[in-house]
């Protein structure tokens, strides 16, 4: 068996989940972000791929969709296990990515859903206290480890892959909001000039190159995948996107150090 990990992750949830999973499944396996130019080569080189990503409205973020399109000719015959991370619920988070991959010939071996902290930093909907988020991360770590151990015994978890999860993902989320993931956002990113100090961190971190900073002027182009990486990482809490005020910034490190779980 030759395994590799591929992921997209804005605040580290999906990356961490994948690393925990791979450590249990095959400690020699490495994980590559889709932004890494070596990611397509890794798909070529391995028979089995674990693909982790964060759901957006029970749908696949545009940047992940584009990556799959770009690598369309590499998936035929690859065995893919999908990990979908989410703040609360997605119905068919793993299924929706699995179906995209299947179109290009991938063989889906299983799926796993993991509840993690909410990356939407400027909305209150799924916000939880630090202890609750930390407990959720610990629970997801155990769930990921068990799913990986099961694979070693020939049992593949199939969470989010059936007909009922698909119906639930569609009716609860995709039908209403799924269109938001079909294209890049051209507006919505709001930078508070009173708070921004022009440090450039947002521009350095943005996976699509959507942000540019000149002096203290921050501007965004038309290529936002609404991942929330910049919003969660701005040291001055100067960026908002769907909401208008930062409720809580999250990055996975906050919860890992609290739980003591380190890789
Ligand atoms: C635009 C957007 C939409 C989201 N939609 C959902 C959702 O439908 N259900 C859910 O449980 N979490 C949702 N989330 C939360 C993320 O999926 C979750 O926090 C994820 O673990 C973030 O992982 P990452 O750090 O790897 O990006 C959404 C996040 C964003 C930014
Ligand atoms: S990270 Fe925040 S403070 Fe730094 S340039 Fe971007 S918006 Fe301004
Ligand atoms: S502008 Fe922010 S939310 Fe949009 S893609 Fe870049 S980092 Fe993600």
């Amino acid at each position: 068996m030759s395994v590799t990990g591929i992921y997209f992750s804005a605040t580290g949830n999906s990356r961490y989940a994948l690393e925990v999973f791979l450590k249990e499944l095959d400690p020699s396996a490495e994980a590559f972000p889709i932004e890494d130019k070596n990611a397509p080569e890794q798909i070529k080189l391995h028979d089995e791929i674990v693909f982790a990503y964060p759901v957006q409205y029970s749908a696949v973020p545009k940047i992940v969709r584009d990556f799959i399109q770009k690598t369309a000719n590499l998936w035929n015959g690859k065995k893919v296990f999908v990990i979908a991370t989410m703040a609360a619920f997605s119905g068919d988070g793993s299924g929706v990515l699995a179906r995209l991959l299947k179109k290009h010939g991938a063989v889906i071996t299983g799926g796993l859903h993991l509840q993690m902290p909410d990356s939407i930093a400027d909305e209150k909907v799924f916000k939880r206290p630090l202890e609750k988020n930390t407990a959720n991360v610990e629970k997801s770590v155990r769930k990921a480890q068990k799913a990986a151990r099961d694979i070693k015994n020939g049992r593949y978890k199939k969470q989010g892959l059936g007909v009922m999860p698909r119906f639930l993902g569609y009716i609860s989320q995709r039908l209403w909001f799924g269109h938001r993931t079909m294209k890049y956002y051209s507006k919505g990113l709001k930078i508070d000039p009173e708070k921004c100090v022009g440090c450039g961190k947002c521009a350095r971190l943005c996976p699509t190159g959507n942000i540019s900073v000149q002096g203290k002027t921050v501007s965004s182009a038309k290529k936002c995948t609404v991942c929330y990486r910049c919003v969660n990482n701005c040291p001055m809490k100067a960026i908002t996107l769907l909401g208008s005020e930062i409720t809580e910034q999250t990055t996975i490190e906050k919860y890992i150090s609290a739980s003591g779980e380190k890789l």
Side-chain angles (χ1 to χ4, degrees):
M1 183 171 73
S2 133
V3 190
T4 196
I6 299 289
Y7 67 92
F8 177 67
S9 186
T11 65
N13 293 350
S14 308
R15 173 187 53 75
Y16 181 61
L18 177 62
E19 285 171 355
V20 165
F21 186 89
L22 288 177
K23 193 176 170 199
E24 189 73 39
L25 181 67
D26 176 358
S28 69
E30 290 180 76
F32 298 83
I34 61 173
E35 302 100 300
D36 186 329
K37 63 178 182 352
N38 294 314
E41 186 62 19
Q42 295 305 314
I43 299 170
K44 260 188 226 165
L45 289 172
H46 296 84
D47 323 315
E48 302 210 10
I49 291 141
V50 185
F51 199 139
Y53 87 103
V55 293
Q56 286 184 352
Y57 316 109
S58 296
V60 178
K62 176 70 172 137
I63 190 172
V64 178
R65 245 172 237 286
D66 275 6
F67 175 78
I68 290 168
Q69 197 55 46
K70 201 177 78 185
T71 54
N73 61 338
L74 303 179
W75 294 102
N76 195 28
K78 301 289 177 186
K79 293 182 184 155
V80 186
F81 187 92
V82 180
I83 298 177
T85 73
M86 60 204 68
F89 174 75
S90 79
D92 59 343
S94 62
V96 70
L97 180 63
R99 291 194 294 279
L100 277 181
L101 291 166
K102 263 203 242 179
K103 278 191 195 159
H104 303 298
V107 178
I108 305 303
T109 56
L112 178 68
H113 287 182
L114 298 174
Q115 207 180 72
M116 299 296 266
D118 183 15
S119 58
I120 308 183
D122 54 6
E123 294 280 5
K124 286 197 178 115
V125 193
F126 297 131
K127 288 292 162 291
R128 306 181 186 95
L130 178 71
E131 310 77 57
K132 178 69 182 152
N133 267 330
T134 304
N136 270 355
V137 171
E138 283 170 359
K139 200 169 154 197
S140 290
V141 163
R142 288 194 296 275
K143 188 173 169 185
Q145 288 169 332
K146 177 166 186 324
R149 276 196 303 277
D150 284 350
I151 290 179
K152 287 196 280 191
N153 293 319
R155 291 191 304 274
Y156 288 76
K157 201 166 176 66
K158 307 277 185 192
Q159 197 171 12
L161 298 179
V163 175
M164 186 49 83
R166 183 171 180 174
F167 173 73
L168 290 174
Y170 178 73
I171 205 73
S172 69
Q173 295 269 52
R174 256 191 324 281
L175 174 62
W176 315 103
F177 310 112
H179 62 278
R180 294 184 180 176
T181 62
M182 292 297 166
K183 55 182 173 44
Y184 289 105
Y185 263 36
S186 57
K187 52 184 187 229
L189 203 70
K190 300 176 281 290
I191 321 281
D192 185 339
E194 299 289 313
K195 293 182 181 164
C196 173
V197 291
C199 68
K201 188 174 183 187
C202 51
R204 287 194 295 279
L205 291 180
C206 176
T208 63
N210 185 49
I211 305 179
S212 51
V213 180
Q214 284 193 324
K216 272 189 67 181
T217 306
V218 180
S219 43
S220 64
K222 296 185 174 176
K223 221 188 164 188
C224 177
T225 192
V226 199
C227 72
Y228 267 79
R229 192 183 283 168
C230 59
V231 182
N232 280 292
N233 282 286
C234 169
M236 305 311 291
K237 299 185 182 170
I239 313 177
T240 51
L241 185 42
L242 298 175
S244 53
E245 200 183 337
I246 296 293
T247 310
E248 188 196 359
Q249 287 177 310
T250 66
T251 52
I252 188 67
E253 286 72 24
K254 202 165 143 183
Y255 311 101
I256 303 170
S257 52
S259 74
E261 180 67 40
K262 292 232 166 49
L263 283 170

